[in-house]
Amino acid sequence: MKKIILITLALFSLLTTGRGEEQSPNQTLIDKALEQVNAGNLRGALEMYLGVAENLKTEKDLGIHVNVYNDLGVVYRRLNMNDSAIYYYNKAFDTAVKLDDKEWLTALSLNLSVFYHNLNHYNDAARYADIAVKYVGQQEDESLVFYAYQLASSMKTEVKDYDRALQYARKAWAMADGSEGNDDLRLRCIPPLTSVFDAKGQTDSVFHYINIGSRILPRCDNEVTRLGFLQCRSEIYIRHKRWREALPDLRLLADAGGRGTLNSSLYHKMAVCYRHTGDYSRAYCYMDTARMWTDSLSKKDIESKLEEFNVKYETRDKEAQLAEARSEHAVQRAQWLASILLAVFVVAVLVIVLIIVRHRHRLHLMFVRQCAEMNEARQYIEGLETERARMARELHDGVANGLLGVSLKMRGAESPNEVSAILADIDRLRNEVRALSHGMMPPELKNHTLNEILSSYVSNFKDAKIQYSGSDDERWKTMDHDVALEVFRIAQESISNAVAHSEADTIDVSLHIAEDSGEGVMKVEDNGRQPDRQSDGEGIGFRVMQERVKTIGGRIDIRKSQNGTVITLFFPV
């Protein structure tokens, strides 16, 4: 339930204006204290008001008494010291009854109504609103009458007395919509009017007055009144599920910053509206902001309570002085020192807790980062070891065995035909070593396209069972070199696995660009059988391929069956 805030201190001070050509010393001090309130220095104003209160024993003007007690109640309320506030409000009301001042009785009734409403004592708030309405019939101050009817309407709505609430709201509207018409006052009347009609289920009347307010809004210069209407209109739209119409008002309230109702409730409402309009990204953003704002408000609430704690200890002796005439100065200094020490202790504890939390968070981030770095290093080392093992197998199974065979043939060679056979073996071994070295070197991507490099690589395999088909697309020339290199390495690994493990009769390698998606597509397909158990080297090789695919933002599809293996790589061009 939102709080109703009514700024009545300046209004009450006006009640004492013009009641004499010369002001008393106490009235002069009251005016100075009011200046401190308007400047936001509540504690300084409190000191001045308490000083005036000590002089009231010799003050014969009861109007001064009412003024001081009322202003003390307002200041204590704004400092959230509700016990002291209600004490001085009651003193002001009792004194106003003795004085029989209808203006003060009206104003104090309004103030007490607001005070009890903010404490969620709605029945007491409505009772004091009724008292204010009883006294306004005898007033000539139209502004006081208007605020009494408007406030009474809000209070009666809280206690669900909708008929009386509507009666008071219509009286306030009649005053605001009189012969001259006041846009600011009319706009102030619309929130309580729409609240009553909405509670009674009279939707047509609700939007009738909302439309009137929308027409008045551009002509109203009072920002507080404008923001109050925007808040009312947005809540009406939300209750009637008009999400898109509520969003502009909510954004204006958010832009108002500290001048408007800016809290987690506002951001939550914006998140709900964006969710219902299908803008889920903004809905998530504002919901997250609402949580952050809630955390911030919680922190401010703690600080506010600490400040209230200090203020209570600071001013407790001053209140006692009103009855004991400054008789316990030593106790006052001791309590003041205790409050400072307690505040320092609490702040120190909060700082220590914050440091510990931040340190733990930093350690957690370092641990996560170290784990990620260790995982990347492990995968990189596994890739290198896999590549070294493959090269060792190639050299051992191919070149080393081939050289052994040549050596044996040379020892027993006697005829020219045998020498020719040896020379042919040497040429074959040279081609194998050449193909192996080409596979280890990075391809020349600056002068050749991926299509040309793959074609050349496949042609180095003299075995006719490996076939290549590519497309001469101009887009290969503008392809990123890092992506092309990773695609080439994945093709090497796929072809090597097919040659080494599948015992395939045919291996088809293809490269083209898909027309529908514009992605590059590289496919390696063989008809070989699958081994009963995959070797560790091959398993690591497939993991390295998966890591390479992640680095280029592609995706890979590996399908194995007894009829062969099909590896399809999709990558950006």
Side-chain angles (χ1 to χ4, degrees):
M1 179 64 66
K2 65 178 183 295
K3 303 295 184 185
I4 295 179
I5 301 175
L6 187 62
I7 303 176
T8 56
L9 193 56
L11 177 63
F12 298 152
S13 67
L14 293 176
L15 297 178
T16 62
T17 303
R19 295 190 177 183
E21 295 182 358
E22 295 183 1
Q23 286 188 333
S24 68
N26 285 332
Q27 184 60 52
T28 301
L29 290 175
I30 291 173
D31 293 342
K32 291 181 178 180
L34 179 60
E35 292 176 0
Q36 295 295 314
V37 173
N38 293 333
N41 184 12
L42 295 178
R43 295 176 66 180
L46 181 62
E47 295 273 357
M48 300 182 71
Y49 280 125
L50 289 173
V52 177
E54 294 179 7
N55 301 328
L56 293 181
K57 293 180 180 179
T58 59
E59 177 61 61
K60 297 181 179 180
D61 186 351
L62 291 181
I64 298 292
H65 288 242
V66 178
N67 199 353
V68 173
Y69 294 147
N70 169 76
D71 291 358
L72 276 169
V74 172
V75 173
Y76 274 121
R77 177 179 63 80
R78 292 179 63 178
L79 288 172
N80 294 321
M81 300 174 67
N82 295 325
D83 292 340
S84 298
I86 195 62
Y87 170 77
Y88 283 108
Y89 276 144
N90 285 325
K91 289 198 70 171
F93 193 84
D94 292 342
T95 307
V97 170
K98 292 179 183 178
L99 185 62
D100 195 26
D101 190 316
K102 300 299 189 297
E103 287 182 339
W104 270 116
L105 288 170
T106 303
L108 284 166
S109 299
L110 291 174
N111 219 2
L112 283 165
S113 180
V114 173
F115 177 78
Y116 279 114
H117 179 277
N118 290 347
L119 294 177
N120 297 328
H121 294 179
Y122 301 125
N123 289 325
D124 289 329
R127 179 168 58 85
Y128 276 103
D130 283 335
I131 294 174
V133 170
K134 181 184 72 174
Y135 286 123
V136 295
Q138 308 171 37
Q139 305 300 318
E140 296 180 358
D141 188 339
E142 291 188 359
S143 61
L144 199 60
V145 175
F146 171 80
Y147 287 119
Y149 284 137
Q150 186 185 28
L151 182 67
S153 173
S154 299
M155 299 308 172
K156 289 299 180 180
T157 301
E158 293 287 1
V159 296
K160 297 181 173 52
D161 188 354
Y162 299 126
D163 293 333
R164 295 286 296 279
L166 184 58
Q167 176 187 349
Y168 292 145
R170 283 176 168 163
K171 287 184 177 181
W173 176 258
M175 295 183 67
D177 198 36
S179 58
E180 296 181 0
N182 186 311
D183 289 337
D184 178 67
L185 296 183
R186 283 192 289 178
L187 204 59
R188 284 174 182 263
C189 289
I190 289 176
L193 270 171
T194 54
S195 297
V196 175
F197 284 126
D198 203 35
K200 292 170 70 70
Q202 298 177 9
T203 305
D204 292 340
S205 298
V206 170
F207 286 102
H208 169 72
Y209 283 99
I210 287 293
N211 292 334
I212 293 176
S214 300
R215 293 194 296 270
I216 296 173
L217 184 63
R219 303 195 300 268
C220 181
D221 297 326
N222 188 305
E223 186 176 12
V224 174
T225 304
R226 289 169 56 86
L227 293 176
F229 174 75
L230 290 174
Q231 183 179 354
C232 166
R233 186 169 66 179
S234 66
E235 290 175 353
I236 291 294
Y237 284 151
I238 291 173
R239 282 200 293 271
H240 291 271
K241 300 181 180 181
R242 295 166 65 163
W243 316 109
R244 294 188 184 277
E245 294 174 85
L247 278 171
D249 290 346
L250 294 175
R251 284 193 289 264
L252 288 173
L253 290 170
D255 291 341
R259 298 168 294 170
T261 306
L262 184 62
N263 50 33
S264 59
S265 175
L266 173 60
Y267 287 131
H268 177 76
K269 291 173 184 175
M270 295 179 75
V272 170
C273 290
Y274 277 120
R275 177 171 63 84
H276 283 287
T277 56
D279 194 342
Y280 297 107
S281 60
R282 289 189 179 181
Y284 174 82
C285 177
Y286 279 103
M287 186 61 71
D288 190 59
T289 304
R291 287 194 293 269
M292 292 172 60
W293 188 268
T294 301
D295 293 341
S296 176
L297 288 179
S298 177
K299 179 180 177 182
K300 289 182 179 178
D301 184 57
I302 293 174
E303 294 174 352
S304 175
K305 289 181 179 179
L306 289 175
E307 179 66 18
E308 177 184 341
F309 183 82
N310 292 336
V311 172
K312 283 185 176 180
Y313 271 85
E314 179 183 358
T315 58
R316 179 176 294 175
D317 285 347
K318 293 185 179 295
E319 293 181 17
Q321 288 173 4
L322 294 174
E324 299 177 6
R326 301 180 180 271
S327 63
E328 299 181 0
H329 295 289
V331 176
Q332 177 187 4
R333 289 194 296 270
Q335 290 182 341
W336 167 245
L337 179 61
S339 67
I340 292 178
L341 293 176
L342 180 61
V344 171
F345 174 75
V346 172
V347 171
V349 170
L350 291 177
V351 170
I352 292 172
V353 171
L354 179 62
I355 292 173
I356 293 174
V357 171
R358 293 187 63 181
H359 181 65
R360 288 183 177 178
H361 181 65
R362 191 181 302 111
L363 290 177
H364 175 71
L365 292 178
M366 290 176 60
F367 176 74
V368 172
R369 186 161 49 249
Q370 288 176 355
C371 289
E373 291 174 354
M374 290 177 62
N375 187 50
E376 291 178 358
R378 179 182 59 79
Q379 293 177 350
Y380 178 72
I381 292 171
E382 286 181 353
L384 291 178
E385 291 299 326
T386 301
E387 193 68 15
R388 292 177 63 183
R390 187 178 69 82
M391 297 304 299
R393 290 196 302 271
E394 295 285 348
L395 291 172
H396 179 272
D397 298 341
V399 178
N401 290 336
L403 289 174
L404 177 61
V406 170
S407 175
L408 293 175
K409 287 182 180 180
M410 289 180 66
R411 291 177 184 176
E414 296 179 353
S415 64
N417 292 334
E418 292 176 340
V419 173
S420 297
I422 292 171
L423 292 175
D425 288 340
I426 291 173
D427 286 339
R428 179 178 56 80
L429 290 173
R430 182 176 62 83
N431 289 331
E432 289 183 8
V433 172
R434 179 171 176 271
L436 190 60
S437 66
H438 284 179
M440 295 178 64
M441 292 176 62
E444 183 60 39
L445 291 168
K446 292 184 178 179
N447 301 320
H448 300 283
T449 65
L450 176 62
N451 180 50
E452 294 169 344
I453 292 170
L454 273 178
S455 177
S456 174
Y457 176 74
V458 172
S459 67
N460 288 329
F461 288 89
K462 299 302 181 182
D463 194 338
K465 68 181 181 180
I466 303 179
Q467 301 294 327
Y468 175 75
S469 62
S471 63
D472 294 328
D473 198 300
E474 290 295 324
R475 285 174 283 183
W476 298 125
K477 296 180 180 180
T478 59
M479 184 178 177
D480 184 85
H481 292 172
D482 292 334
V483 176
L485 177 60
E486 296 298 336
V487 174
F488 174 72
R489 292 304 186 197
I490 294 170
Q492 278 185 306
E493 184 68 29
S494 302
I495 294 171
S496 298
N497 286 338
V499 172
H501 302 291
S502 69
E503 300 179 3
D505 294 328
T506 60
I507 300 174
D508 294 325
V509 182
S510 64
L511 179 72
H512 69 279
I513 296 178
E515 293 300 331
D516 54 349
S517 62
E519 291 181 303
V521 182
M522 190 276 293
K523 182 182 291 187
V524 178
E525 184 175 2
D526 67 71
N527 64 347
R529 68 175 184 84
Q530 297 301 309
D532 295 335
R533 182 177 180 273
Q534 189 182 59
S535 66
D536 293 339
E538 184 182 352
I540 296 175
F542 276 113
R543 288 200 298 274
V544 173
M545 286 168 58
Q546 294 283 1
E547 292 301 321
R548 291 185 186 276
V549 171
K550 291 179 182 178
T551 62
I552 63 175
R555 63 187 191 280
I556 191 169
D557 180 42
I558 302 175
R559 298 185 181 182
K560 295 185 177 184
S561 68
Q562 292 302 318
N563 296 325
T565 301
V566 179
I567 299 176
T568 307
L569 172 67
F570 302 90
F571 56 92
V573 177

